[in-house]
Amino acid sequence: MKKKRILLKVGSNTLTKETDNISRGKIEDIASQIAKLQETCEFIIVSSGAIAVAKQFVKLDSKSSGIFVKQALASIGQPHLIRIYQEIFREYGLLSSQCLLSYADFDNADSRDNIMNTIKVLVNNNYIPIINENDTVATDEIKFGDNDKLGALTASLLGVDLFIIATNTNGIYTKASMEANAPETIETVSDFDALRQEVVSSKSTHGSGGMASKVEAVAVAKAAGVETWIVNGLEDDFITNAFEGNVPFTKVK
């Protein structure tokens, strides 16, 4: 039976559970769900969190330009982030690998082929690629999007069956419900242009994204024919509960 290929994008707010520290418990939650689903699904992860990890134990001279400090933090934090993933995934019998990409990689045909072929080999050998923006040399993702667009570009390039964006809300809420302070999830999107009008512009606490960034990522995936789910990654078992229809989330086909 052909497994369902899923690209899971996890932002900094999800990985920290909206605190100032990376949550090992959240990574354990992700590993546990992947282990439960590994007979029917194969996963590729786009993960933020390198800067958040570094901030836990490093203080840098901030006299330099802010973007260079963030690039340095990303360089320090990335190996620690991958180590945490590998340690926890190993406990669940899961193998993982690191892939660092930049937007320039998607603009070059040879680079795109290399990405596809490398990830294909990894997945076929039961390794879970953990992808992050190469923040040390590329600044766009530090300033915009918190890996939402990188996740969408990767999902589109690989032609995955499902793109899941884990965030800190139960999907996308209607603008009217947000204004009334009673959030109501848009569960199925049939009119994408109308969806854009519903989105309230905001930024995430630790990341650089927000719901507008996620909608733009959905647009990239939709253009490639990839279905996207926006789910609340702060909740335990958020992937399996979404599959079982036990939680509200936004689905865009």
Side-chain angles (χ1 to χ4, degrees):
M1 183 179 68
K2 184 178 180 295
K3 292 185 179 182
K4 189 170 197 170
R5 182 167 292 185
I6 299 169
L7 191 141
L8 170 66
K9 184 268 168 177
V10 187
S12 300
N13 266 8
T14 300
L15 282 182
T16 60
K17 297 187 77 170
E18 299 190 310
T19 69
D20 291 328
N21 298 298
I22 290 292
S23 168
R24 294 182 69 95
K26 177 46 61 181
I27 296 179
E28 287 175 0
D29 176 47
I30 293 169
S32 172
Q33 293 176 84
I34 291 175
K36 290 174 185 174
L37 295 167
Q38 63 184 335
E39 294 301 316
T40 56
C41 301
E42 55 191 26
F43 282 82
I44 298 152
I45 298 175
V46 169
S47 175
S48 303
I51 292 174
V53 170
K55 283 182 176 179
Q56 291 178 202
F57 56 89
V58 171
K59 272 198 170 184
L60 296 181
D61 176 10
S62 59
K63 292 178 183 177
S64 305
S65 174
I67 194 66
F68 298 127
V69 171
K70 288 183 177 179
Q71 285 178 312
L73 287 169
S75 175
I76 294 166
Q78 181 64 26
H80 292 281
L81 178 65
I82 289 299
R83 176 181 54 79
I84 294 169
Y85 267 110
Q86 289 183 323
E87 287 175 355
I88 293 173
F89 276 35
R90 194 180 301 121
E91 293 174 4
Y92 287 83
L94 303 172
L95 301 171
S96 57
S97 67
Q98 172 182 265
C99 297
L100 295 178
L101 302 177
S102 67
Y103 288 150
D105 295 323
F106 293 89
D107 292 332
N108 180 282
D110 289 338
S111 295
R112 288 197 302 270
D113 287 342
N114 288 339
I115 294 168
M116 286 192 294
N117 292 333
T118 300
I119 290 178
K120 182 178 179 180
V121 170
L122 289 168
V123 172
N124 287 346
N125 285 276
N126 298 316
Y127 276 80
I128 300 167
I130 299 175
I131 300 167
N132 199 358
E133 172 80 4
N134 190 0
D135 286 332
T136 304
V137 297
T139 61
D140 285 352
E141 203 59 22
I142 290 176
K143 293 186 289 186
F144 307 107
D146 197 26
N147 275 342
D148 293 322
K149 187 177 179 183
L150 179 62
L153 288 170
T154 307
S156 302
L157 178 64
L158 299 176
V160 301
D161 298 299
L162 180 62
F163 176 34
I164 298 177
I165 300 176
T167 186
N168 59 350
T169 63
N170 295 327
I172 301 174
Y173 300 138
T174 65
K175 185 179 289 187
S177 71
M178 289 292 286
E179 291 171 350
N181 201 28
E184 180 182 330
T185 300
I186 301 170
E187 296 195 359
T188 304
V189 175
S190 55
D191 185 341
F192 191 73
D193 289 332
L195 178 68
R196 291 181 187 273
Q197 304 304 313
E198 294 287 347
V199 173
V200 176
S201 178
S202 65
K203 291 282 186 180
S204 58
T205 306
H206 287 283
S208 51
M211 201 50 71
S213 166
K214 286 160 181 57
V215 169
E216 293 310 311
V218 171
V220 171
K222 183 175 173 59
V226 175
E227 181 174 339
T228 302
W229 293 2
I230 300 177
V231 304
N232 191 337
L234 298 179
E235 301 293 333
D236 290 339
D237 299 319
F238 63 95
I239 303 169
T240 53
N241 279 333
F243 273 123
E244 293 166 5
N246 294 332
V247 290
F249 66 94
T250 299
K251 180 185 296 186
V252 185
K253 293 187 176 181

